[in-house]
Protein backbone atom coordinates (compact mmCIF):
# COMPACT_ATOMS: atom_id res chain seq x y z
CA UNK A 1 0.00 0.00 0.00
CA UNK A 2 1.37 3.39 -1.00
CA UNK A 3 1.30 6.20 1.46
CA UNK A 4 0.11 9.57 0.31
CA UNK A 5 2.73 12.27 0.44
CA UNK A 6 2.04 14.97 2.90
CA UNK A 7 1.72 18.34 1.28
CA UNK A 8 3.99 20.73 3.08
CA UNK A 9 2.75 24.27 2.71
CA UNK A 10 5.30 26.56 1.15
CA UNK A 11 6.24 29.56 3.17
CA UNK A 12 5.40 32.84 1.57
CA UNK A 13 8.57 34.61 0.51
CA UNK A 14 9.66 37.26 2.95
CA UNK A 15 9.54 40.80 1.59
CA UNK A 16 12.91 42.30 0.77
CA UNK A 17 13.26 45.53 2.76
CA UNK A 18 16.63 47.27 2.43
CA UNK A 19 18.14 50.16 4.40
CA UNK A 20 20.80 51.60 2.08
CA UNK A 21 23.74 53.35 3.74
CA UNK A 22 22.57 52.13 7.14
CA UNK A 23 25.91 52.40 8.93
CA UNK A 24 25.85 50.64 12.31
CA UNK A 25 22.08 50.94 12.76
CA UNK A 26 19.75 49.50 10.11
CA UNK A 27 16.16 50.59 10.58
CA UNK A 28 13.96 48.10 12.41
CA UNK A 29 12.47 45.59 9.99
CA UNK A 30 15.02 46.34 7.27
CA UNK A 31 18.16 44.48 6.19
CA UNK A 32 21.12 46.83 6.21
CA UNK A 33 23.33 47.56 3.21
CA UNK A 34 26.52 49.58 3.57
CA UNK A 35 29.92 49.63 1.89
CA UNK A 36 31.65 49.21 5.26
CA UNK A 37 31.19 46.12 7.41
CA UNK A 38 29.28 46.97 10.58
CA UNK A 39 27.53 43.63 11.08
CA UNK A 40 24.65 44.39 8.70
CA UNK A 41 23.36 41.80 6.20
CA UNK A 42 24.83 43.29 3.00
CA UNK A 43 28.30 44.75 2.51
CA UNK A 44 28.32 46.35 -0.91
CA UNK A 45 29.36 49.63 -2.54
CA UNK A 46 26.20 50.91 -4.27
CA UNK A 47 28.31 53.05 -6.59
CA UNK A 48 28.83 49.74 -8.41
CA UNK A 49 25.07 49.13 -8.68
CA UNK A 50 22.62 47.42 -6.36
CA UNK A 51 23.11 43.68 -5.75
CA UNK A 52 19.50 42.68 -6.31
CA UNK A 53 17.56 41.23 -9.24
CA UNK A 54 15.26 43.38 -11.32
CA UNK A 55 11.85 43.98 -9.68
CA UNK A 56 12.81 42.10 -6.49
CA UNK A 57 12.84 44.68 -3.67
CA UNK A 58 9.64 45.50 -1.78
CA UNK A 59 10.74 48.56 0.19
CA UNK A 60 13.79 50.79 0.49
CA UNK A 61 14.87 53.26 3.11
CA UNK A 62 17.92 55.47 2.93
CA UNK A 63 18.67 58.08 5.56
CA UNK A 64 21.51 60.55 5.22
CA UNK A 65 23.32 58.59 2.54
CA UNK A 66 22.49 60.04 -0.90
CA UNK A 67 24.15 63.38 -0.14
CA UNK A 68 27.48 61.54 0.06
CA UNK A 69 27.24 60.56 -3.63
CA UNK A 70 28.46 62.76 -6.46
CA UNK A 71 25.94 64.02 -9.01
CA UNK A 72 26.77 61.21 -11.47
CA UNK A 73 26.62 58.62 -8.69
CA UNK A 74 23.19 59.92 -7.64
CA UNK A 75 21.87 59.47 -11.17
CA UNK A 76 23.14 55.89 -11.23
CA UNK A 77 21.75 55.27 -7.73
CA UNK A 78 18.20 56.34 -8.65
CA UNK A 79 18.30 54.40 -11.92
CA UNK A 80 19.44 51.29 -10.04
CA UNK A 81 16.86 51.85 -7.32
CA UNK A 82 14.11 51.90 -9.93
CA UNK A 83 15.51 48.75 -11.57
CA UNK A 84 15.47 46.64 -8.41
CA UNK A 85 12.17 47.84 -6.93
CA UNK A 86 9.01 45.82 -7.54
CA UNK A 87 6.10 47.65 -9.16
CA UNK A 88 4.22 49.32 -6.31
CA UNK A 89 7.30 49.31 -4.03
CA UNK A 90 8.24 52.46 -2.12
CA UNK A 91 11.55 54.11 -1.32
CA UNK A 92 11.88 56.70 1.43
CA UNK A 93 14.94 58.90 0.91
CA UNK A 94 16.00 61.24 3.72
CA UNK A 95 18.69 63.86 3.13
CA UNK A 96 19.60 67.20 4.68
CA UNK A 97 17.54 70.00 3.15
CA UNK A 98 19.69 72.33 1.03
CA UNK A 99 18.78 75.38 3.17
CA UNK A 100 19.93 73.88 6.46
CA UNK A 101 23.48 74.14 7.70
CA UNK A 102 23.66 70.38 8.26
CA UNK A 103 23.74 70.02 4.44
CA UNK A 104 27.08 71.86 4.48
CA UNK A 105 28.46 70.84 7.86
CA UNK A 106 29.82 67.43 6.88
CA UNK A 107 32.82 67.79 4.56
CA UNK A 108 32.05 64.38 3.03
CA UNK A 109 28.77 65.68 1.55
CA UNK A 110 28.95 66.19 -2.19
CA UNK A 111 27.79 69.19 -4.18
CA UNK A 112 25.06 70.12 -4.88
CA UNK A 113 23.05 69.70 -1.68
CA UNK A 114 19.67 68.02 -2.06
CA UNK A 115 16.67 70.15 -2.99
CA UNK A 116 13.02 69.16 -3.35
CA UNK A 117 13.52 69.62 -7.10
CA UNK A 118 15.57 66.42 -7.46
CA UNK A 119 12.42 64.31 -7.32
CA UNK A 120 11.10 65.95 -10.50
CA UNK A 121 14.04 64.57 -12.49
CA UNK A 122 13.08 61.04 -11.45
CA UNK A 123 9.84 61.22 -13.50
CA UNK A 124 10.16 60.43 -17.23
CA UNK A 125 7.24 62.66 -18.31
CA UNK A 126 8.62 65.66 -16.43
CA UNK A 127 12.11 65.07 -17.85
CA UNK A 128 10.83 64.83 -21.42
CA UNK A 129 9.24 68.27 -21.08
CA UNK A 130 11.79 70.05 -18.89
CA UNK A 131 15.14 68.27 -18.89
CA UNK A 132 15.50 65.93 -21.88
CA UNK A 133 19.28 66.07 -21.41
CA UNK A 134 19.12 64.41 -17.97
CA UNK A 135 20.60 60.87 -18.16
CA UNK A 136 18.05 59.15 -15.93
CA UNK A 137 16.12 56.10 -17.10
CA UNK A 138 13.95 55.70 -13.99
CA UNK A 139 10.29 56.69 -14.01
CA UNK A 140 8.96 57.34 -10.52
CA UNK A 141 5.50 58.84 -11.08
CA UNK A 142 5.14 62.32 -9.59
CA UNK A 143 1.54 61.58 -8.58
CA UNK A 144 2.79 58.83 -6.26
CA UNK A 145 5.60 60.84 -4.67
CA UNK A 146 5.33 62.50 -1.30
CA UNK A 147 7.48 65.32 -0.03
CA UNK A 148 7.93 66.04 3.64
CA UNK A 149 10.51 67.37 6.02
CA UNK A 150 11.51 67.57 9.61
CA UNK A 151 11.70 70.93 11.29
CA UNK A 152 14.71 72.37 13.00
CA UNK A 153 14.33 71.99 16.77
CA UNK A 154 13.77 75.70 17.37
CA UNK A 155 10.56 75.51 15.30
CA UNK A 156 9.05 72.40 16.86
CA UNK A 157 6.75 74.34 19.22
CA UNK A 158 5.65 76.93 16.64
CA UNK A 159 2.34 76.65 14.77
CA UNK A 160 2.15 75.25 11.24
CA UNK A 161 1.62 78.64 9.58
CA UNK A 162 4.74 80.05 11.22
CA UNK A 163 6.80 76.99 10.26
CA UNK A 164 5.70 77.11 6.64
CA UNK A 165 6.59 80.79 6.40
CA UNK A 166 9.96 80.05 8.01
CA UNK A 167 10.58 77.24 5.53
CA UNK A 168 10.16 79.68 2.63
CA UNK A 169 12.06 82.60 4.14
CA UNK A 170 14.70 81.36 6.57
CA UNK A 171 17.71 79.14 6.44
CA UNK A 172 17.87 76.32 9.00
CA UNK A 173 14.08 75.94 9.14
CA UNK A 174 13.64 72.61 7.39
CA UNK A 175 16.33 70.23 8.58
CA UNK A 176 15.62 67.04 6.63
CA UNK A 177 14.12 66.54 3.21
CA UNK A 178 12.01 63.36 3.13
CA UNK A 179 10.94 62.11 -0.29
CA UNK A 180 8.90 58.93 -0.74
CA UNK A 181 9.04 57.45 -4.22
CA UNK A 182 6.72 54.78 -5.54
CA UNK A 183 7.43 52.61 -8.55
Amino acid sequence: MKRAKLAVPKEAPQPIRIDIGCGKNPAQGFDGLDSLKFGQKYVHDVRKGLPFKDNSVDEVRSSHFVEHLTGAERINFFNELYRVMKPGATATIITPHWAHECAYGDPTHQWPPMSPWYRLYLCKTWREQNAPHAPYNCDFNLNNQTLAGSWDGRLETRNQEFREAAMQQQINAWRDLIVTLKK
Side-chain angles (χ1 to χ4, degrees), residues 18-24 32-35 46 61-65:
I18 306 300
D19 185 351
I20 299 174
C22 65
K24 295 180 180 181
L33 185 154
D34 203 292
S35 63
V46 300
R61 178 185 189 278
S62 183
S63 181
H64 292 272
F65 165 72

Side-chain angles (χ1 to χ4, degrees), residues 75-142:
I75 292 167
N76 186 57
F77 173 77
F78 285 109
N79 287 338
E80 276 290 288
L81 191 61
Y82 187 80
R83 178 187 66 78
V84 303
M85 288 172 61
K86 289 180 179 178
T90 60
T92 301
I93 310 297
I94 304 167
T95 63
H97 188 276
W98 73 270
H100 195 279
E101 63 189 349
C102 68
Y104 306 94
D106 183 342
T108 66
H109 289 180
Q110 299 294 314
W111 191 264
M114 301 300 286
S115 143
W117 269 71
Y118 87 82
R119 66 191 182 88
L120 301 174
Y121 288 83
L122 307 180
C123 174
K124 182 179 178 183
T125 304
W126 187 90
R127 279 194 315 273
E128 288 173 346
Q129 295 174 3
N130 300 285
H133 64 282
Y136 292 93
N137 57 36
C138 57
D139 189 17
F140 292 102
N141 189 320
L142 283 177

